[in-house]
Amino acid sequence: MTTAQPTSELTRPIKVKGLPGDTVVVEADAGERAALARRFGLPGIDSLRAEIDLEQRGKAIRATGTLKAAIRQACAISGEDFPANIEEPIDLRFVEETGVTASDDEEIEIELEADDCDEIEYSGDMFDLGEAVAQSLGLSIDPYAEGPNADAARKAAGIVQEGEQEGPLAAMLKGLKTD
């Protein structure tokens, strides 16, 4: 029994043979942005655009460029929606699927350097640049982002910043601090 791969909200198939020589622009339309917002638990995505250069390197394809997005997300403290801008470099490498998998008692160890790019496997004669952009967006969203009213929400909830505590225990702890 085979399971179907879920379809991406942002599909941009690229043929491996005859890669585009010009910069590839992946820009999400309103429906794609709404679907991606649901996927990533965001109140909304106002814009999403990536400009990517593709280069054949041996059997791999290197994709480098920039992802820019204007999103709306919920503040981790107040829960209120606020706008946030994302601008991230993209550095990916698409490699043909090898079919080699580790068995349960066997491990495959891969050494990565700090400047290594993310590697994405594909099968057949095409890869999905759109899904790679979507995944890059998902990884660049700050799950603990604080909106402009975070401090007011903390104060209303009685949460104080470090060093602002009051009371006898706080005074005693201040006396123990050495600079």
Side-chain angles (χ1 to χ4, degrees):
M1 181 174 155
T2 60
T3 57
Q5 290 285 71
T7 43
S8 174
E9 301 86 350
L10 187 65
T11 300
R12 299 294 188 278
I14 303 288
K15 284 190 178 273
V16 174
K17 285 190 178 189
L19 286 176
D22 295 335
T23 299
V24 177
V25 175
V26 176
E27 192 157 13
D29 64 28
E32 292 166 331
R33 291 191 314 267
L36 286 168
R38 283 190 297 279
R39 174 177 171 181
F40 297 124
L42 296 171
I45 299 174
D46 299 322
S47 67
L48 170 60
R49 179 183 172 96
E51 295 182 6
I52 302 169
D53 293 314
L54 300 172
E55 179 186 354
Q56 185 86 39
R57 290 194 178 170
K59 291 188 175 191
I61 296 148
R62 188 77 181 256
T64 56
T66 304
L67 163 73
K68 293 181 182 179
I71 65 172
R72 285 175 277 122
Q73 65 185 114
C75 172
I77 306 301
S78 70
E80 293 177 320
D81 293 354
F82 71 97
N85 290 313
I86 293 172
E87 185 168 344
E88 290 287 323
I90 289 181
D91 192 357
L92 305 170
R93 195 168 81 154
F94 293 91
V95 294
E96 196 165 2
E97 208 171 56
T98 61
V100 177
T101 57
S103 64
D104 289 341
D105 58 345
E106 178 185 359
E107 290 183 22
I108 296 177
E109 189 173 314
I110 300 172
E111 294 288 330
L112 295 177
E113 299 297 322
D115 59 347
D116 282 348
C117 56
D118 290 327
E119 205 166 84
I120 300 172
E121 288 188 334
Y122 70 91
S123 61
D125 63 347
M126 297 170 83
F127 61 92
D128 190 352
L129 188 58
E131 175 56 20
V133 168
Q135 289 177 20
S136 296
L137 172 66
L139 291 170
S140 65
I141 297 168
D142 181 355
Y144 304 108
E146 295 182 7
N149 297 323
D151 288 337
R154 276 190 197 93
K155 190 172 185 175
I159 302 170
V160 295
Q161 298 291 337
E162 188 171 331
E164 295 178 359
Q165 296 86 354
E166 294 179 6
L169 183 57
M172 188 171 72
L173 289 173
K174 277 185 186 175
L176 293 176
K177 256 189 191 175
T178 58
D179 290 325

